[in-house]
Amino acid sequence: MKVLIVEDDPLHRSYLHEAVRSALPECEQVLEADNGGAGEKLARENKSAHVVMDLQMSARNGIEAARTIWKERPDTRILFWSNYADEAYVRGVSRIVPPGAAYGYVLKSASDDRLKLALRSIFIESQCVIDREVRGLQQKSLGHANGFTDSEYEVLMDIALGLTDRAIAKRRNLSLRSVQNRLQQLYEKLDVYQPMNDNEESRFNLRARAVTIAFLRKLLNYSALERAEAELADWHSGR
Amino acid sequence: MKVLIVEDDPLHRSYLHEAVRSALPECEQVLEADNGGAGEKLARENKSAHVVMDLQMSARNGIEAARTIWKERPDTRILFWSNYADEAYVRGVSRIVPPGAAYGYVLKSASDDRLKLALRSIFIESQCVIDREVRGLQQKSLGHANGFTDSEYEVLMDIALGLTDRAIAKRRNLSLRSVQNRLQQLYEKLDVYQPMNDNEESRFNLRARAVTIAFLRKLLNYSALERAEAELADWHSGR
DNA sequence: GTCCGTCTTGCAGAAACCCGCAAATTTTCT
DNA sequence: AGAAAATTTGCGGGTTTCTGCAAGACGGAC
């Protein structure tokens, strides 16, 4: 068995290396990459079926890397090992995991044991292991109790990118009014209307405020924005 | 001599501890805190004059912590040790460093030697040490060659918070039109007008797009937004 | 002082945004 | 299939944003 580690930070990388060695004695080789691009390359060359991946690396995003790896070999097992449980990340991961694939999401703040257990469960038993904190988000975001539907999330990304109503309508094949409807739902759910500190006359620019709140609530983050921007460019070049 | 380490990540914390021990043999005690709040407390209790501080910690921000520490003892020497050189961080730090104080800004990607050298320069020699990458940003942002004036940055934060033109005018004591002038300057400098992929009819919502671009260029980030939101709440409660 | 540049302000109009109302359409459920 | 619920769409109008034009205001340079 071979394991590929994709991780920015040298300290974390060697810590992971150690953890893999100790949790998986049957592993005869550990590969390391320090950014997403190198990770993809190594995975391709070595036909790696077992990957531990950091999200948020400066050069190339972990989610991007995971996506291309999974596109080439959908049965690859990937353990995401991340600092944060932002909804933006969780959503980003759920969107790309192929049906039936085994994967995991463990926070860096988890204990040694938890990490090692996750490594064995995923790589040996092919089970999915999702940290409790992360799991909570996933439930909430998919079962739309408090969470957002896909269309609301879509329109959120669109205004975060700075598109006009008209542009969104074109992109999503909707009428202008429908877009505005979705925006209204979004504003409602994000609770944009609260007049800060019961100061009556302080109103917000709803559109901009929605993005702000989404950021503060970690529905959005840099990496999500980056991905959205790339998708937009794609769509744009395809007319 | 005592040194206080404020750092989220246990791995990085112990690495720092080691570095301090080896670079500063005259240091007889190393204190550790794992978030900004605890850091402030320890600094206060121990009258620490030498601090190594991580920016971006989940609980309480490094910049916030540094600010209160410096408010209580402006001669404290602080070395900021950060993953990123976002302009938002650099700007945030420059804004709070007291006149004449010795401080440093070193990236986590720097070598062992660089870190140790910085530790000695700042704590022993009272010199300022700023990483080259960071320095570049600082130049650009202060000397307003390509950078932004304070008023432009202010208005950028304000729209990022989701304020209306009117609200900004009230907050900054300007007329509506002046606010809009500054917005125009901002749009100009951020190059918001470029029609994506020479597609003529795709225009952006300038206000939202400006924020997006600022994020992508790292003029803004989560922590800056968080601070701005807190400032806004302050201002609001003071009518 | 005068001149020049930058910043501020008002006015006005085009475009975009926000939203209530109501009809048409699609989806979901029984 | 038929009813209920959710979505989509058009219309209309009130508000906000964006911008050109032009008239002061402030400050520094000569």
Side-chain angles (χ1 to χ4, degrees), chain B residues 101-171:
Chain B
Y103 77 104
Y105 195 129
V106 175
L107 294 177
K108 287 191 180 177
S109 57
S111 67
D112 259 36
D113 289 341
R114 204 133 106 225
L115 173 60
K116 289 178 185 166
L117 202 65
L119 283 169
R120 289 202 71 80
S121 301
I122 298 166
F123 291 167
I124 309 285
E125 315 285 349
S126 298
Q127 281 189 303
C128 284
V129 178
I130 317 283
D131 252 0
R132 180 171 286 107
E133 295 88 329
V134 180
R135 193 70 191 158
L137 284 182
Q138 218 174 30
Q139 305 277 328
K140 199 173 58 182
S141 87
L142 296 187
H144 55 114
N146 185 17
F148 293 64
T149 58
D150 285 341
S151 55
E152 282 156 1
Y153 203 74
E154 254 179 8
V155 76
L156 170 61
M157 297 305 298
D158 285 342
I159 59 172
L161 285 172
L163 297 178
T164 63
D165 291 3
R166 199 184 306 281
I168 300 174
K170 204 160 288 176
R171 185 177 187 197

Side-chain angles (χ1 to χ4, degrees), chain A residues 8-9 11-12 15 56-58 81 83-84 108 159-164 167 170 196-197 199 201-209 211-212 215-218 222 225-226 229 232-233 236-237 239, chain B residues 8-9 11-12 15 56-58 81 83-84 108 159-164 167 170 196-197 199 201-209 211-212 215-218 222 225-226 229 232-233 236-237 239:
Chain A
D8 229 351
D9 184 322
L11 260 51
H12 288 171
Y15 169 77
Q56 65 172 7
M57 292 170 292
S58 42
W81 193 55
N83 262 112
Y84 307 107
K108 287 192 180 177
I159 58 172
L161 285 173
L163 298 178
T164 62
K170 203 161 289 177
M196 187 131 228
N197 290 1
N199 181 342
E201 72 166 314
S202 87
R203 282 236 222 64
F204 285 112
N205 176 318
L206 299 179
R207 172 178 290 248
R209 185 63 182 169
V211 177
T212 312
F215 254 105
L216 292 175
R217 288 208 202 157
K218 315 214 174 177
Y222 178 82
L225 204 57
E226 200 179 25
E229 178 82 6
L232 175 63
H236 240 157
S237 65
R239 206 133 1 206
Chain B
D8 229 351
D9 184 322
L11 261 50
H12 288 170
Y15 168 77
Q56 68 172 1
M57 292 171 291
S58 42
W81 193 55
N83 262 112
Y84 306 108
K108 287 191 180 177
I159 59 172
L161 285 172
L163 297 178
T164 63
K170 204 160 288 176
M196 186 131 230
N197 289 2
N199 180 341
E201 72 166 317
S202 86
R203 282 239 218 64
F204 286 112
N205 176 318
L206 300 179
R207 172 178 292 248
R209 186 64 183 168
V211 177
T212 312
F215 254 105
L216 291 175
R217 288 210 201 155
K218 315 215 175 177
Y222 178 83
L225 204 59
E226 201 179 23
E229 178 83 7
L232 175 63
H236 240 155
S237 65
R239 208 129 2 205

Side-chain angles (χ1 to χ4, degrees), chain A residues 63 86-97 153 224 227:
Chain A
I63 291 188
D86 296 5
E87 183 157 348
Y89 284 132
V90 176
R91 223 174 235 278
V93 169
S94 325
R95 271 168 50 90
I96 61 164
V97 41
Y153 202 74
R227 270 178 286 137

Side-chain angles (χ1 to χ4, degrees), chain A residues 8-198:
Chain A
D8 229 351
D9 184 322
L11 260 51
H12 288 171
R13 201 161 58 232
S14 72
Y15 169 77
L16 260 187
H17 193 128
E18 199 45 51
V20 168
R21 283 282 183 219
S22 116
L24 299 166
E26 55 270 72
C27 164
E28 69 261 4
Q29 190 185 6
V30 180
L31 300 163
E32 296 188 0
D34 70 352
N35 69 70
E40 293 168 18
K41 190 153 166 292
L42 274 182
R44 193 173 304 123
E45 290 170 2
N46 291 275
K47 306 194 202 314
S48 306
H50 308 91
V51 182
V52 185
M53 171 89 63
D54 187 20
L55 302 174
Q56 65 172 7
M57 292 170 292
S58 42
R60 184 163 167 77
N61 196 304
I63 291 188
E64 285 301 322
R67 180 153 67 176
T68 75
I69 289 176
W70 263 331
K71 203 182 305 177
E72 294 173 10
R73 335 186 85 243
D75 56 338
T76 309
R77 295 173 187 128
I78 304 184
L79 170 59
F80 295 99
W81 193 55
S82 165
N83 262 112
Y84 307 107
D86 296 5
E87 183 157 348
Y89 284 132
V90 176
R91 223 174 235 278
V93 169
S94 325
R95 271 168 50 90
I96 61 164
V97 41
Y103 79 103
Y105 195 128
V106 175
L107 294 177
K108 287 192 180 177
S109 57
S111 67
D112 260 36
D113 289 342
R114 211 137 96 228
L115 173 59
K116 289 178 184 168
L117 202 65
L119 283 169
R120 288 202 73 79
S121 302
I122 298 166
F123 290 166
I124 310 284
E125 316 285 351
S126 298
Q127 282 190 302
C128 285
V129 178
I130 317 282
D131 251 1
R132 178 169 287 108
E133 295 88 329
V134 181
R135 193 72 191 155
L137 284 183
Q138 215 174 32
Q139 304 277 326
K140 198 172 57 180
S141 84
L142 295 186
H144 56 115
N146 185 17
F148 293 64
T149 57
D150 286 339
S151 55
E152 283 155 0
Y153 202 74
E154 254 179 8
V155 76
L156 170 60
M157 297 306 298
D158 286 342
I159 58 172
L161 285 173
L163 298 178
T164 62
D165 290 4
R166 198 183 307 277
I168 299 174
K170 203 161 289 177
R171 184 177 188 196
R172 306 296 182 190
N173 282 317
L174 289 170
S175 73
L176 201 61
R177 189 59 179 89
S178 295
V179 173
Q180 294 169 334
N181 268 339
R182 293 187 177 184
L183 283 174
Q184 272 182 273
Q185 297 170 225
L186 186 68
Y187 298 156
E188 204 69 50
K189 284 207 185 169
L190 283 175
D191 203 15
V192 167
Y193 298 98
Q194 47 175 338
M196 187 131 228
N197 290 1
D198 63 315

Side-chain angles (χ1 to χ4, degrees), chain B residues 61 63-64 88-89 92 221 223-232:
Chain B
N61 196 302
I63 290 187
E64 286 300 324
Y89 284 133
N221 60 19
S223 120
L225 204 59
E226 201 179 23
R227 271 177 286 136
E229 178 83 7
E231 275 175 28
L232 175 63

